[in-house]
Amino acid sequence: LWEWRNEEGMRQASFQSAPVPLADHEAWLARVVMDPSIRLLVASDESGHDIGYIRFNILEQARQAEVSVCLDRQQRSRGLGAALIAAGCESLWVERPELEVVALVKEQNAASRAAFEAAGFLAIGTRSHDDHVVHELRRRLVRDQVREA
């Protein structure tokens, strides 16, 4: 996780673009795994090699979960981002079907925006976040509705 977090492409896409020292990352990770409002899932390929992660920060009052995703540099541009996002959301909704998932994507990060849209997210608009212009995308669980004839 630490190496992915500090990879140049990931740092450019992140709202905190400075490198993270290992000790700081370890302290952060220790907090994350104990925090019931955060879900962190690591994705593996068919061979069992870790290829990325998805994290949800649950905002109880808003009934939302903010999503963050990272793919290993060698796994990018293969459509895996959309698959990871979709699978991560489905996993979250098993426990928390009422949550709307919100993605904030830096304006210049076209690949990430495309991955979220391919995973069923709808673009809501742009806004400012942490001194960056971001696209806001959202997705809710859609339940099949049975229609009576």
Side-chain angles (χ1 to χ4, degrees):
L1 293 176
W2 174 70
E3 290 174 356
W4 287 331
R5 171 59 184 91
N6 280 324
E7 187 267 323
E8 180 67 26
M10 178 61 183
R11 288 194 356 252
Q12 288 176 0
S14 177
F15 295 114
Q16 284 80 39
S17 59
V20 176
L22 181 57
D24 293 354
H25 179 77
E26 289 173 340
W28 169 85
L29 186 58
R31 286 190 310 273
V32 164
V33 297
M34 298 304 294
D35 189 335
S37 69
I38 298 176
R39 302 290 189 283
L40 177 64
L41 306 169
V42 176
S44 301
D45 64 14
E46 305 82 30
S47 303
H49 296 101
D50 294 341
I51 61 167
Y53 68 83
I54 188 166
R55 185 183 74 242
F56 298 96
N57 294 338
I58 298 171
L59 309 170
E60 292 293 348
Q61 296 289 355
R63 297 173 58 99
Q64 294 178 328
E66 290 182 346
V67 62
S68 176
V69 64
C70 176
L71 272 178
D72 183 275
R73 176 179 47 218
Q74 297 176 343
Q75 304 299 326
R76 296 178 192 154
S77 301
R78 298 176 51 204
L80 297 175
L84 174 56
I85 293 164
C89 289
E90 294 299 326
S91 177
L92 175 69
W93 288 327
V94 167
E95 295 178 31
R96 302 295 306 269
E98 77 282 6
L99 295 177
E100 176 181 49
V101 181
V102 178
L104 300 178
V105 178
K106 281 184 170 179
E107 187 175 40
Q108 66 272 24
N109 192 347
S112 185
R113 179 178 176 176
F116 278 101
E117 289 176 338
F121 280 68
L122 298 176
I124 303 301
T126 59
R127 65 180 173 99
S128 178
H129 178 78
D130 286 348
D131 297 324
H132 299 280
V133 176
V134 298
H135 296 285
E136 182 174 348
L137 300 102
R138 296 181 181 199
R139 182 174 174 206
R140 290 187 178 276
L141 175 64
V142 177
R143 298 178 188 262
D144 292 334
Q145 295 182 3
V146 178
R147 296 183 186 193
E148 294 185 45

